[in-house]
Amino acid sequence: MFGFQLDSIPELDHEYYRMEDYQSNIPRWCPGCGDSAILTAVQKLCRDEQLPPEKTVFVSGIGCSSRFPHYMKTYGFHGLHGRAFPIAQGIRIRRPDLHIFVNTGDGDCFSIGTAHWIHAVRMNMRMVVMVHDNNLYGLTKLQSSPTTPEGFKTNTTPRGAYMRALNPLTVTLGITNVSFVAQVAEWMPSLLAQLIEKAYHHPGFAFIRILQRCPAFAPTHFDPMITNPDRMEMLVHENGMVLDDTMARIYKRQIEHDPSNIHRARELAEDREHVPIGLLYHNPQVRQYCELRRPKHVMTIDRLRENLEAEFDKFSVVPQAEKVA
Amino acid sequence: MSVNVTDSARETTGTGKHIVDVPEHIVEIVSDSGEGAQKAAQSFGAICAKMGNGIWTVEIIPAEIQPPPRSIAGASGNRIRIGSFSVTNAGDQADLVVAFNEQVLLGRVQSGNLKPGAIILLESMWRDHHDPEVVRLYTQTVAQLEEDGYQVKEIPMETECLKIVENPRKGKNMFVLGMLCSIYQRDLQLARDQIEFTFQKKSQKVIEANIQLLEAGYNWAEANLDVCFNVPSAHIDEPQIVVNGNIAIGLGVMASGMEVCAMYPITPATSASHYLSDVFENVGGVVHQAEDEIAACAFAIGASYAGKCAVTITSGPGKALKTELIGLAVMAEIPLVLVDVQRGGPSTGLPTKVEQGDLLSVIFGEPGDAPKIVMAPATIEDCFYSIITARKIAETFRMPVIVLSDANLATGQQLFPRPKFNEDWVAPPIDQSPVPEGKKPYDWDPVTGLSERFIPGRPNGMHTVTGLAHDQNSKVAYDNWINQAGCEARSRKLAAFQKTLKTPQVMGDPEGGDLLILGWGSTKGAIEEAVMRVRKDGLSVSSLHLKFLQPMASGIGDILRKFKQTICVEINYSDPKDDFFTADNRRYSNLAWLLRARYLVDVDSWSNVYGQPMKPGDIEQMIRERFATP
Ligand SMILES: Cc1ncc(C[n+]2csc(CCOP(=O)(O)OP(=O)(O)O)c2C)c(N)n1
Ligand code: SF4
């Protein structure tokens, strides 16, 4: 009766979805852009989990990375700069049936969208969040972002960025109700896929910061990490990320980290020498705002009538028969 | 309709007092914050309504929560206009004022809210105060007021109440209610019932004490006061609702079947969300307090996108923050109901005071062309029904609908016939069946621009909505004709909606005349009352009130051209007419700009930003002056 009805969603005959079933439009990212690797990882997840495209929504803000929904053959909402989270929350509040993903950039999430980022973590509404962090503003042609390293030259910081970069991991891990924090790089496809899958199964707000190359504006920026795998610190655990033999051979710096330990997670996030890769924190017990606000009643005509009539009565005056003074 | 020389006096049998018959009276009760003047006034209003009078009550609100006691700017209370007719506005100056101290009273006197010679019932405890400065201020003020011709009656409220309760600060208000019941010959049993209703959540002891105070006030007035008025019944005999405009909006949200309200607190809009927070969950709704207005609006748009048409309630500064998102809802064609309870601007402005200053900004505020529907309720009843209409239009036309209320409606209470729930209020269900092959997410009808929306969950309807210029498949536009086509399609929807609107009716002479007063929103009652008064004296004056400001109904231009002069009366800023402001630089009031631009008629402005509701008397005076100096 009242807009979308959860209980009257048509059931389609089951069909098998292939990768191509999730592909739409040819991505317009620059050749070699790290966003493409993320797209592939996500399309694989959709296929592996057999997500019905009509029940899947990709929400984004504005930026190169935020074009993501246009390249998925699902529902999508390409929103406004910085505002992906509250849009996704609005979608979620009455739609527990949907699979919701958010793709955002470092400018989108950590600069113009900062307030929403903090509150979205705290509200812990179920969605997979991928921050495509290329350490700069891509779409607007190379300006500094909050995660641009000190000294890095951009068009607004031609003599190098003035301040130390913001550390999104320590911030996110410091927010009340944080429930899932991971970090990975798009040039590690198997780990990327593994963490996105973990995030997908997390009942809450699953935050993944993905280091992402921007060959157009910073072709060598991540080279030190790529050529020197020891800069990366692999957080491995049976409840977290696991490394196969190949990856274990490349990335020798490995630490056992139990993702339920938030204090250790915060310490690891603080490390300025190394880049932690893996699941830093995971707590599936944190309560979700959308669950707390789940309606106790279904709105029906009868319920509306009954309650409105009671409200009208509450505010009614019934004029009395006239009195003679 | 003010009290005038035709007042007749007669004598009662009981107390031997003279009862003065009056068609209406305006009563104000003012105190420091927290002394309960509002409760007394609201109860008095309800009792009058039960006795068949028309009423309008409006809150008198200081800017701070706890202004210093006994301060001129700290007056807190209510004005109640009771009439032997259906009352449509807060009226002119007060006939009778009850004041808990002389300073809050001075606030009302200095702002010109008292009629010359008005009756003042003043708490007299300050005469014996231990602080000689207080005593000096009090005696000086009383002497001055008397010299100025006011009828000051000093009343030992504190002393009388102390006979019943230990702390008269809580309870004096019911003593005052008792006095008013005597002065206006209200049925005391109705007053007792009202107290039981008001304090229903409190203990029996509290109720009894308040009834004792009521009776004490009544008896004291019967024995000691020689004023007595009779405002005959308006013969209203159907059940009526007494709520303020914000509660009416909350009721409207529920009645429309919307399930999601996303908001961020801002005066004077917040109480609508307070009310909803209390009751919305009972019908399956949710009020979401977001981290800011931007998030609130984005949340509402997200919910609407996902099939649950949502409302976001705010005031001017919040509306400003939502602007970019309103543009997104226009561009992506997502329904949205946005209520703007206007207050004084610009910037933080006058948070608790009325203004109608957001009209142009809601119509034109977004970057680029953002056609949307803008409507303004004129009465409390309208606040209720407008929301129901707004949701329907928003969903039918896939666009935001802005409802412009204001602080005057938000805090005013007026009677309207008790609605009966009607299934048609609720919007029809959304199609969830698989989307047929070949249908596009923006299959713009070439004439009306309308298209059907695909909600997530609908098989075969997958597409990405975007705030970027896009084609009928919602694909990002790279050809330059697409943006032109999209803008035209969205504008066509507005024109299609415009064709459903009826020409508003002229009050007065539809055939034309000397002067037409134009208004919109909460000023309707005051404008029409003023026009009626001058028409009685034969002046050729009519009025036209607009509910839809964007788009405007057909026929308005023709109406304007039938009058020699046309003038907008609004609560927003316009330049005065003087030697400095010339025809080249004078800035007009909001509606006047719109009418001048659309109809090429030389519409004038008469507007102000005192933050006060328009008084019919002031409009009347303006009209008379225009006729005196053509
Ligand atoms: C309100 C607003 N301000 C500014 C912009 C311009 N703008 C578009 S994208 C962007 C930054 C994008 O950087 P990031 O989020 O890091 O994404 P990337 O392009 O690097 O993927 C800016 C400033 C905008 N679209 N809207
Ligand atoms: S500018 Fe950088 S981030 Fe943007 S598409 Fe090109 S490579 Fe990717």
Side-chain angles (χ1 to χ4, degrees):
Chain A
M1 287 293 147
F2 313 98
F4 196 88
Q5 296 275 279
L6 267 184
D7 51 8
S8 49
I9 296 170
E11 286 288 331
L12 285 193
D13 292 344
H14 183 77
E15 49 178 303
Y16 182 79
Y17 301 109
R18 296 159 303 151
M19 283 279 276
E20 304 87 84
D21 292 322
Y22 298 100
Q23 294 166 356
S24 167
N25 300 336
I26 296 164
R28 285 178 165 255
W29 290 311
C30 307
C33 174
D35 288 337
S36 305
I38 302 173
L39 181 66
T40 308
V42 167
Q43 286 168 342
K44 250 172 55 198
L45 172 93
C46 291
R47 185 211 43 208
D48 293 349
E49 299 292 340
Q50 285 294 296
L51 301 186
E54 74 272 13
K55 301 271 261 170
T56 306
V57 186
F58 283 82
V59 185
S60 66
I62 298 292
C64 295
S65 38
S66 289
R67 289 294 180 99
F68 199 97
H70 287 284
Y71 309 138
M72 293 296 301
K73 204 173 187 173
T74 60
Y75 279 92
F77 197 134
H78 181 203
L80 288 185
H81 196 25
R83 318 301 171 203
F85 292 136
I87 291 172
Q89 292 174 322
I91 297 172
R92 170 57 84 213
I93 191 75
R94 283 306 161 93
R95 296 297 302 271
D97 60 313
L98 296 175
H99 308 287
I100 302 178
F101 296 80
V102 173
N103 295 84
T104 170
D106 42 316
D108 204 51
C109 183
F110 307 140
S111 192
I112 192 168
T114 312
H116 310 314
W117 162 37
I118 289 173
H119 290 280
V121 171
R122 175 170 168 250
M123 278 186 254
N124 194 37
M125 292 169 86
R126 185 168 191 161
M127 57 188 74
V128 176
V129 176
M130 290 163 268
V131 186
H132 304 218
D133 191 346
N134 55 6
N135 289 190
L136 52 83
Y137 285 10
L139 190 71
T140 45
K141 299 196 161 73
L142 188 58
Q143 296 82 24
S144 66
S145 94
T147 53
T148 302
E150 189 178 350
F152 186 92
K153 289 185 177 148
T154 71
N155 287 318
T156 47
T157 56
R159 288 164 292 283
Y162 305 101
M163 311 256 287
R164 278 170 55 200
L166 176 102
N167 183 338
L169 296 180
T170 55
V171 175
T172 309
L173 285 164
I175 300 168
T176 310
N177 286 345
V178 59
S179 64
F180 185 108
V181 179
Q183 175 159 275
V184 68
E186 52 62 27
W187 57 87
M188 307 170 178
S190 64
L191 301 183
L192 177 65
Q194 203 187 118
L195 287 165
I196 291 179
E197 193 211 305
K198 279 220 168 303
Y200 167 72
H201 288 287
H202 172 64
F205 188 88
F207 175 92
I208 317 174
R209 180 194 189 200
I210 305 172
L211 303 175
Q212 174 237 322
R213 286 168 296 180
C214 168
F217 294 120
T220 58
H221 176 60
F222 287 109
D223 282 359
M225 289 186 201
I226 297 167
T227 54
N228 178 12
D230 288 348
R231 279 285 312 281
M232 316 305 252
E233 188 159 69
M234 296 290 148
L235 312 181
V236 292
H237 195 266
E238 55 176 351
N239 297 332
M241 186 176 72
V242 290
L243 296 182
D244 60 20
D245 291 347
T246 325
M247 292 304 271
R249 264 199 305 278
I250 302 171
Y251 296 101
K252 301 223 173 51
R253 228 194 128 79
Q254 297 164 19
I255 303 188
E256 267 291 299
H257 167 60
D258 177 353
S260 68
N261 185 343
I262 194 158
H263 302 296
R264 184 75 185 120
R266 286 176 181 153
E267 273 171 29
L268 292 164
E270 275 290 359
D271 189 344
R272 290 214 271 143
E273 305 268 287
H274 301 98
V275 182
I277 296 288
L279 183 54
L280 283 111
Y281 184 60
H282 185 207
N283 177 0
Q285 308 301 334
V286 180
R287 301 227 276 174
Q288 301 174 52
Y289 180 78
C290 36
E291 295 299 324
L292 295 170
R293 304 303 310 270
R294 176 163 284 196
K296 290 173 197 72
H297 310 284
V298 178
M299 193 182 270
T300 60
I301 286 279
D302 286 340
R303 176 163 285 279
L304 266 185
R305 173 183 291 112
E306 187 189 322
N307 279 276
L308 268 169
E309 289 293 339
E311 287 305 301
F312 292 150
D313 283 342
K314 189 162 108 191
F315 297 115
S316 283
V317 295
V318 181
Q320 319 268 307
E322 264 171 62
K323 302 246 168 188
V324 185
Chain B
M1 305 240 175
S2 51
V3 185
N4 53 42
V5 283
T6 61
D7 294 342
S8 60
R10 56 198 164 99
E11 196 160 295
T12 54
T13 42
T15 56
K17 289 190 214 177
H18 283 291
I19 303 178
V20 182
D21 277 326
V22 288
E24 66 156 297
H25 238 213
I26 297 174
V27 180
E28 287 192 358
I29 309 178
V30 283
S31 66
D32 287 341
S33 261
E35 290 186 311
Q38 301 209 335
K39 204 165 253 172
Q42 274 157 4
S43 302
F44 184 61
I47 295 163
C48 292
K50 283 192 185 148
M51 294 189 69
N53 287 119
I55 60 159
W56 180 287
T57 72
V58 65
E59 290 173 21
I60 297 161
I61 317 167
E64 287 103 21
I65 302 291
Q66 275 292 2
R70 293 177 41 80
S71 63
I72 288 181
S76 163
N78 264 76
R79 151 179 285 224
I80 317 118
R81 184 181 184 195
I82 41 178
S84 52
F85 47 88
S86 163
V87 180
T88 63
N89 64 85
D92 294 318
Q93 292 164 312
D95 299 282
L96 185 145
V97 179
V98 186
F100 287 32
N101 68 62
E102 85 290 348
Q103 294 301 311
V104 290
L105 172 65
L106 271 182
R108 301 306 290 168
V109 174
Q110 289 172 2
S111 55
N113 276 298
L114 267 63
K115 191 171 281 183
I119 298 166
I120 294 169
L121 308 182
L122 181 60
E123 162 69 87
S124 64
M125 62 185 276
W126 313 105
R127 203 173 264 293
D128 309 312
H129 201 269
H130 59 81
D131 181 347
E133 179 59 11
V134 169
V135 176
R136 189 185 65 79
L137 282 172
Y138 177 83
T139 45
Q140 213 174 24
T141 306
V142 171
Q144 186 62 49
L145 289 169
E146 281 177 335
E147 198 182 307
D148 292 342
Y150 294 106
Q151 306 173 51
V152 184
K153 314 220 179 263
E154 294 181 80
I155 298 174
M157 300 185 202
E158 181 92 356
T159 318
E160 290 299 317
C161 291
L162 270 173
K163 294 177 185 165
I164 298 162
V165 285
E166 274 173 26
N167 178 10
R169 210 181 129 78
K170 295 231 183 306
K172 210 182 267 184
N173 57 348
M174 290 299 125
F175 184 86
V176 167
L177 180 64
M179 290 199 298
L180 290 175
C181 285
S182 155
I183 294 170
Y184 292 95
Q185 306 162 80
R186 307 284 79 165
D187 181 342
L188 212 50
Q189 192 49 44
L190 283 180
R192 291 190 196 100
D193 296 347
Q194 185 63 34
I195 288 178
E196 292 211 16
F197 173 78
T198 310
F199 296 99
Q200 56 187 329
K201 287 186 182 151
K202 297 277 168 67
S203 69
Q204 195 56 34
K205 221 178 117 198
V206 171
I207 293 174
E208 274 162 22
N210 278 292
I211 289 180
Q212 276 181 20
L213 287 160
L214 168 90
E215 290 171 350
Y218 184 88
N219 292 333
W220 193 90
E222 287 287 295
N224 299 291
L225 289 180
D226 54 357
V227 283
C228 206
F229 295 98
N230 175 44
V231 185
S233 160
H235 306 292
I236 298 168
D237 44 20
E238 290 297 307
Q240 303 285 309
I241 296 267
V242 201
V243 291
N244 67 34
N246 276 355
I247 290 183
I249 284 168
L251 286 167
V253 168
M254 284 200 284
S256 75
M258 283 191 279
E259 286 176 46
V260 178
C261 166
M263 51 74 67
Y264 185 79
I266 183 167
T267 305
T270 318
S271 67
S273 304
H274 288 179
Y275 171 65
L276 275 176
S277 301
D278 201 24
V279 296
F280 208 17
E281 287 183 7
N282 297 339
V283 294
V286 60
V287 175
H288 170 63
Q289 179 177 331
E291 59 269 25
D292 56 35
E293 279 91 349
I294 296 176
C297 194
F299 192 98
I301 289 173
S304 268
Y305 163 77
K308 296 292 186 186
C309 182
V311 60
T312 182
I313 306 177
T314 190
S315 185
K319 197 286 307 172
L321 288 179
K322 293 173 196 222
T323 304
E324 194 191 7
L325 282 149
I326 298 170
L328 174 66
V330 170
M331 189 63 145
E333 304 193 43
I334 297 170
L336 174 72
V337 177
L338 185 146
V339 181
D340 175 357
V341 185
Q342 299 162 98
R343 63 191 220 177
S347 187
T348 311
L350 296 169
T352 59
K353 304 278 198 281
V354 64
E355 191 171 312
Q356 300 177 301
D358 297 348
L359 176 58
L360 292 175
S361 80
V362 297
I363 296 178
F364 300 118
E366 296 75 25
D369 186 52
K372 69 187 84 66
I373 287 151
V374 179
M375 61 192 289
T379 62
I380 310 285
E381 181 177 25
D382 245 7
C383 288
F384 173 72
Y385 290 105
S386 291
I387 305 291
I388 298 172
T389 313
R391 184 220 168 150
K392 285 206 177 137
I393 310 171
E395 289 203 287
T396 311
F397 291 86
R398 289 185 77 167
M399 59 163 73
V401 177
I402 314 263
V403 179
L404 289 176
S405 178
D406 65 31
N408 185 25
L409 291 170
T411 59
Q413 291 190 319
Q414 178 192 21
L415 299 177
F416 67 90
R418 182 196 184 286
K420 267 194 101 55
F421 179 74
N422 180 346
E423 280 186 28
D424 294 342
W425 289 344
V426 178
I430 285 176
D431 187 357
Q432 291 174 220
S433 62
V435 175
E437 201 65 43
K439 271 198 99 178
K440 300 170 183 169
Y442 297 100
D443 249 337
W444 295 311
D445 181 277
V447 178
T448 63
L450 290 169
S451 58
E452 192 195 339
R453 212 155 67 91
F454 310 156
I455 305 294
R458 253 187 107 172
N460 308 338
M462 287 82 74
H463 67 288
T464 289
V465 298
T466 177
L468 284 170
H470 51 266
D471 64 13
Q472 286 164 300
N473 284 311
S474 200
K475 302 276 186 223
V476 178
Y478 295 103
D479 297 327
N480 47 16
W481 62 268
I482 294 177
N483 192 44
Q484 178 74 22
C487 281
E488 186 182 311
R490 291 185 292 273
S491 191
R492 279 182 181 277
K493 291 193 294 180
L494 207 61
F497 173 68
Q498 193 265 354
K499 291 191 191 296
T500 70
L501 294 177
K502 286 202 212 91
T503 309
Q505 290 215 325
V506 174
M507 195 202 78
D509 309 315
E511 301 313 318
D514 289 343
L515 177 65
L516 179 70
I517 307 277
L518 292 126
W520 62 282
S522 74
T523 50
K524 183 177 188 202
I527 292 175
E528 293 190 346
E529 190 171 326
V531 168
M532 255 142 41
R533 287 184 199 167
V534 297
R535 285 179 66 81
K536 280 205 182 116
D537 297 338
L539 300 192
S540 164
V541 182
S542 304
S543 69
L544 185 68
H545 212 75
L546 304 184
K547 183 185 186 95
F548 285 93
L549 287 316
Q550 169 85 344
M552 285 190 196
S554 307
I556 293 172
D558 294 338
I559 295 172
L560 294 179
R561 283 181 273 270
K562 286 181 190 157
F563 288 85
K564 286 190 196 136
Q565 281 188 57
T566 49
I567 183 163
C568 289
V569 169
E570 302 178 64
I571 311 177
N572 54 48
Y573 182 78
S574 64
D575 286 329
K577 271 186 170 166
D578 63 19
D579 293 343
F580 186 69
F581 291 112
T582 63
D584 284 342
N585 63 19
R586 180 169 175 236
R587 293 163 67 242
Y588 291 85
S589 55
N590 279 218
L591 180 61
W593 277 126
L594 284 178
L595 296 174
R596 293 173 69 88
R598 178 168 292 283
Y599 302 111
L600 301 180
V601 171
D602 188 11
V603 181
D604 199 357
S605 299
W606 186 80
S607 71
N608 63 56
V609 286
Y610 300 119
Q612 301 291 319
M614 281 280 174
K615 288 191 168 73
D618 292 344
I619 303 171
E620 177 187 353
Q621 191 187 340
M622 176 276 290
I623 298 172
R624 291 193 192 282
E625 281 168 9
R626 289 210 159 215
F627 274 84
T629 51

